[in-house]
Amino acid sequence: QLGCHFEFFIQEKPTGLAEAFLITEEFIKNSPTCLILGDNIFYGNGLIDLAKEAMSSPAGATVFGYRVNDPERYGVVEFDKENRAVSIEEKPEFPRSPYAIPGLYFYDTKVIKIAKSLTPSKRGELEITDINKTYLSEGSLRVKVIERGVAWLDAGTFESLLQAGSFIHAVQERQGLMVGSPEEAAWLNKLINNERLKELAEPHKKNAYGRYLLNLVGNKNANN
């Protein structure tokens, strides 16, 4: 109904992010892939351009660095004086930098082979950091620093989920725009047309979300 096709695979036990590539091997096959963590929220200008640049890279991997106050909660990337990544650590007790790696990763076709070569960490998990380390050791890991203007919210704790909700609510109230609307995204990317958008909005026309979707079409017609 959104002009897209989705397939779902289930990870039966929490045995690490890197296992995602083993579970979905038949789906990925020989294609490059992007992994996005479900409890991560990204918002801001320039993010789409960063993603497009990462997707256009012919080989290797692209991850991002984001300055945080509590890097010990995340995978941490260390840079040299030329801003080249030199090390990556998973949840270090004493972080070597304030730059965390958010849950947005782009990999070439080698990622499945790399994932198969991993051994579980002390936590009993196949670590995504070990995949990134492999690319780093091969000299094919690109780390792009996300500058000011893009918000990254890790909604993996009760407190951060509350903060994320407050942030999204403030943005939507101030701008009058919805954040993360799949119907709007499909419509803006021309995966569905005006009529389809109105069909999707019709069952919800009595609430704010349905009215918002209907107004998208009305505003476009008015502007034209």
Side-chain angles (χ1 to χ4, degrees):
Q1 67 182 14
L2 295 174
C4 308
H5 177 72
F6 297 92
E7 293 190 30
F8 295 87
F9 299 80
I10 297 174
Q11 184 184 38
E12 299 291 348
K13 298 179 180 180
T15 46
L17 299 179
E19 191 186 27
F21 301 105
L22 305 182
I23 295 172
T24 59
E25 178 180 3
E26 288 302 312
F27 174 76
I28 296 172
K29 295 182 179 178
N30 294 317
S31 297
T33 185
C34 172
L35 174 65
I36 307 174
L37 303 190
D39 59 2
N40 279 216
I41 298 171
F42 297 88
Y43 181 81
N45 291 326
L47 183 62
I48 292 178
D49 291 336
L50 285 173
K52 287 182 176 179
E53 181 184 353
M55 287 188 290
S56 66
S57 300
T62 301
V63 298
F64 300 92
Y66 192 96
R67 189 181 183 94
V68 296
N69 289 326
D70 51 353
E72 65 276 0
R73 288 183 53 207
Y74 309 99
V76 176
V77 57
E78 176 190 11
F79 297 96
D80 63 14
K81 294 181 179 179
E82 283 73 42
N83 290 323
R84 294 175 299 196
V86 294
S87 75
I88 297 175
E89 295 180 286
E90 179 64 22
K91 298 181 179 178
E93 183 178 358
F94 303 103
R96 297 179 181 178
S97 92
Y99 285 95
I101 298 179
L104 178 61
Y105 316 90
F106 294 85
Y107 298 112
D108 64 9
T109 57
K110 295 192 303 181
V111 67
I112 292 177
K113 180 180 179 181
I114 293 173
K116 287 182 175 180
S117 71
L118 301 181
T119 56
S121 66
K122 293 180 180 179
R123 302 192 302 167
E125 298 185 7
L126 297 178
E127 305 285 357
I128 197 72
T129 294
D130 289 337
I131 288 182
N132 295 332
K133 283 182 176 180
T134 301
Y135 279 103
L136 179 63
S137 66
E138 295 176 351
S140 56
L141 179 72
R142 293 172 294 276
V143 182
K144 303 288 186 179
V145 174
I146 298 178
E147 305 291 349
R148 292 184 179 183
V150 175
W152 168 47
L153 305 170
D154 179 358
T157 67
F158 295 119
E159 182 179 0
S160 60
L161 180 60
L162 177 62
Q163 292 171 348
S166 298
F167 173 82
I168 298 302
H169 179 262
V171 170
Q172 292 185 162
E173 286 293 301
R174 177 59 63 94
Q175 297 184 342
L177 300 173
M178 291 286 180
V179 176
S181 165
E183 293 90 349
E184 182 180 11
W187 178 68
L188 290 174
N189 286 281
K190 303 186 185 308
L191 298 175
I192 59 175
N193 59 23
N194 289 354
E195 292 305 313
R196 185 58 180 152
L197 181 61
K198 287 191 283 188
E199 290 176 6
L200 294 173
E202 183 65 24
H204 311 288
K205 64 182 181 181
K206 292 185 178 181
N207 63 47
Y209 188 64
R211 291 193 294 271
Y212 173 79
L213 295 178
L214 289 171
N215 285 336
L216 292 174
V217 179
N219 290 337
K220 182 177 181 181
N221 291 336
N223 292 335
N224 290 338

